[in-house]
Structure formats: structure tokens, C-alpha cells
Amino acid sequence: MKGKDLLSVADLGGEDIRLLISDAIDMKAQGWLSILSGKTLAIMFEKPSLRTRVSFELAMRQLGGETVYLSPAEVGLGERESVPDVARVLSRYVDAIAARTFSHQTLEVLAGYSSVPVINALSDWEHPCQALADLLTIYEKKGELQGLTLAFVGDGNNVARSLMLAASLTGMNFRIATPSGYAIEDDIFNLAQNNALSAGGEIFYTDDPRQAVTGADVVYTDVWASMGQEAEAEARRQIFAGYQVDGELLSLAREDAIFMHPLPAHRGEEVAEGILDTPQSVVFDQAENRLHMQKALLAGILGGLEIPLAGYR
Ligand code: CP
Ligand code: NVA
């Protein structure tokens, strides 16, 4: 993993994910370390963020490194300066770049021209750091991943794609319910199905949320209109109306099922009022785990990992 980009969960194998989970568990137990002393991460965002920005900044600080935050207004990625030039300049200053972009292609160009690793901090296509932290959370709650069933209800979006790939690489069963027209694209769905064949899980699509959720161990949803889709928000509210996760839908899952959401959430839209605040909901553990997983990721990519590893392999 040292020196590599992380643009997609597909850049990882199942063993990488298991190792990251193990390392994140160790990081969580050990707290502050000084393994990235002298290393600097640029955090360059075209969109707003609470969790991703704070967790990247604190992850570097807790590992002894530094960050430089570049807001959308400061960089003007592709407007004030071309993406290749930004990549080449930043590479002269920092050891890695975490970037949040509207278009995934921007991220690919950035990575193509950067001589330091580029980490996808969310694009319109994927959100790999979220999926990795989510698997850490599921592992902590359930003690395993292999054989568990995750039901994703809502939009076949960036979060769904990354989660499907991560589940498929770790032997989880992944069911997704979306309105037709909002399903995950065939090429990435087929990639996940191929992964699942080797890892021992099943990937399944339906337009019926009840079918997806029945008997699931994990019920997951995300916003219906992602950042950049604000103009479609009202239309999407109509289209996704039957896809809200409410108490009745959740009751079809296993009795010990957990509810997950990457946040920010729109209570009363994709998730009914109150669900986020029930004991079944692990959304704030999820948010915390962004920090621990990103510490493991940064340690792996920046090559500073020298602590003894134990736990999940
Ligand atoms: N879940 C997540 O990525 O949150 P932010 O957009 O606040 O970073
Ligand atoms: N799908 C959402 C996730 C936010 C963390 C978005 O892209 O806005």
C-alpha cells in the first residue's frame, strides 16, 4: 500500500482491507503515536465536509504529521489553475494529497500528474474512506464480516458503490434496493459479483426495499440527493419516497441488526425521524471510526507503520 493512490475500493484487495481493519483497531487502542513525524498531507476539497476533513486533520496530528487545508475558494481547481499543474506543484510540497472533487475524473487527472499518493476523500463516483471505516464499524459490532448481509436502501451513489466493492472483497452479502434508473452501473456491479465469487458472498439488486432488508444484519442508507445534485433534490424526494428506512422496514431485518448512515442525514427523508437515535443506530460510532481508519490508511500509504499488529487478519 505504501506510496499508492486510493481512488477506488477496487485499488485494494480483501487482504488489504482486513489488514487496514486490524491496523485501525490497533490505532484506536493506542491513540497518539509519532510514526508520521515529518510528513505532510494536503487536504484539498471542492465540496463541504465535517467528518472527512476533521478526521484527516486529526489523523495526521495524532500520528505526528501535519496537514495543509485548501478550501474550494483557495485553489479553484481547474479554474484558477489547471488540475495537472496543481498536482505537480502540490507534489513538491507535501507527501500525500487527500482530495474531495465533484468529478471523479478530476481525481484521476490529479493522481495521474501527482508524484505523491492521492486519496479519494469523496468524488461523485466513490467514497472509499467511508466504506473502509464502515467495515471497521461492522466488524467491531458483529465480530466478523464474512457471511454477514448488508442491505443498502436508496440511491446507487458514491457511498453505495464503495460499500458494494468493499463488501464483495470481504465475503459479505450485499443487497441493494434502488428505484429503477438509480441502480449501480453494470460494469461496477459485475466487478463486485466477480469479487464475491472468489470471496464467498452474494451481490443482489432489487427495486423492493423489503426484499433487500428482510433478514439483513446491517441496514444502510444515504441521502437521496448527493452534493452537486441539489437541483434534483425535489424530484428525487418524489422518486425515492418509497425508499425511506423507517421502523417498519427495519423490523424486517434481523432482531440484532444495526442501522448505518454515513451522515450528514436528512431526518424525515431517507431515514424516518428517530431512527438515528435508537440503540440499533451506530451512526456516531461510524463517524468516529473515520478517524481510526484514516490513521491506518495514512500509516499504510505514507509507510510509517511500525507498531505491532494484532486482531483481525
Ligand atoms: N460522511 C462524510 O463523508 O461526511 P462529510 O461530508 O462531513 O465529510
Ligand atoms: N452521497 C453523499 C455522501 C456524503 C458523505 C454525497 O456525495 O453528498
Side-chain angles (χ1 to χ4, degrees):
M1 175 165 299
K2 187 175 176 185
K4 292 203 177 140
D5 298 322
L6 178 66
L7 302 191
S8 162
V9 171
D11 294 332
L12 302 169
E15 188 56 23
D16 295 319
I17 297 177
R18 281 186 282 275
L19 188 60
L20 282 167
I21 291 173
S22 165
D23 291 351
I25 290 169
D26 281 350
M27 296 282 181
K28 196 166 177 171
Q30 299 205 32
W32 291 59
L33 298 160
S34 52
I35 55 177
L36 295 184
S37 163
K39 304 280 186 188
T40 310
L41 175 75
I43 301 173
M44 183 166 57
F45 280 12
E46 287 189 317
K47 302 177 186 174
S49 170
L50 173 65
R51 283 144 290 271
T52 310
R53 177 184 172 179
V54 174
S55 55
F56 266 117
E57 290 214 15
L58 291 181
M60 282 302 282
R61 201 170 306 167
Q62 291 187 12
L63 295 178
E66 302 282 339
T67 55
V68 180
Y69 174 71
L70 298 157
S71 71
E74 279 159 329
V75 180
L77 203 55
E79 288 169 16
R80 180 171 183 266
E81 192 159 6
S82 76
V83 179
D85 284 358
V86 171
R88 287 180 286 205
V89 170
L90 267 185
S91 298
R92 298 291 180 103
Y93 296 136
V94 300
D95 300 289
I97 301 167
R100 169 169 287 196
T101 59
F102 282 101
S103 154
H104 191 74
Q105 204 203 345
T106 303
L107 214 52
E108 289 175 337
V109 175
L110 198 61
Y113 283 89
S114 170
S115 60
V116 299
V118 173
I119 301 169
N120 180 353
L122 182 147
S123 70
D124 60 354
W125 189 248
E126 273 203 55
H127 196 1
C129 298
Q130 181 71 52
L132 292 171
D134 293 342
L135 261 53
L136 166 62
T137 306
I138 296 168
Y139 179 73
E140 282 182 335
K141 300 294 175 191
K142 298 288 178 192
E144 61 186 337
L145 294 177
Q146 184 88 40
L148 291 180
T149 297
L150 190 160
F152 186 101
V153 178
D155 186 20
N157 65 10
N158 47 7
V159 168
R161 290 187 197 93
S162 289
L163 205 53
M164 179 181 67
L165 288 172
S168 73
L169 287 166
T170 51
M172 295 180 74
N173 304 309
F174 183 87
R175 301 184 195 153
I176 179 162
T178 76
S180 62
Y182 294 85
I184 290 180
E185 299 72 10
D186 286 347
D187 53 350
I188 188 161
F189 192 82
N190 293 339
L191 174 63
Q193 282 199 315
N194 279 339
N195 291 340
L197 275 180
S198 324
E202 281 180 11
I203 310 296
F204 174 78
Y205 169 77
T206 173
D207 63 3
D208 177 3
R210 299 171 72 88
Q211 197 184 1
V213 167
T214 299
D217 300 282
V218 180
V219 179
Y220 198 119
T221 191
D222 184 20
V223 292
W224 293 336
S226 287
M227 290 180 278
Q229 297 173 332
E230 289 77 8
E232 295 173 40
E234 187 45 46
R236 283 171 172 259
R237 267 192 284 276
Q238 314 288 327
I239 294 164
F240 286 87
Y243 289 78
Q244 185 186 72
V245 177
D246 59 12
E248 197 208 328
L249 187 64
L250 259 183
S251 72
L252 300 174
R254 282 176 57 105
E255 210 175 325
D256 62 353
I258 55 174
F259 171 75
M260 300 181 78
H261 190 306
L263 305 179
H266 297 151
R267 287 172 166 84
E269 288 191 22
E270 75 275 4
V271 55
E273 291 284 351
I275 298 286
L276 289 169
D277 313 303
T278 61
Q280 266 185 296
S281 163
V282 300
V283 298
F284 299 110
D285 296 320
Q286 256 183 287
E288 180 190 334
N289 278 336
R290 297 292 308 278
L291 169 65
H292 308 300
M293 179 49 81
Q294 273 148 217
K295 283 167 78 174
L297 196 59
L298 289 164
I301 288 176
L302 291 170
L305 197 56
E306 282 155 17
I307 58 172
L309 301 170
Y312 182 56
R313 283 294 166 87

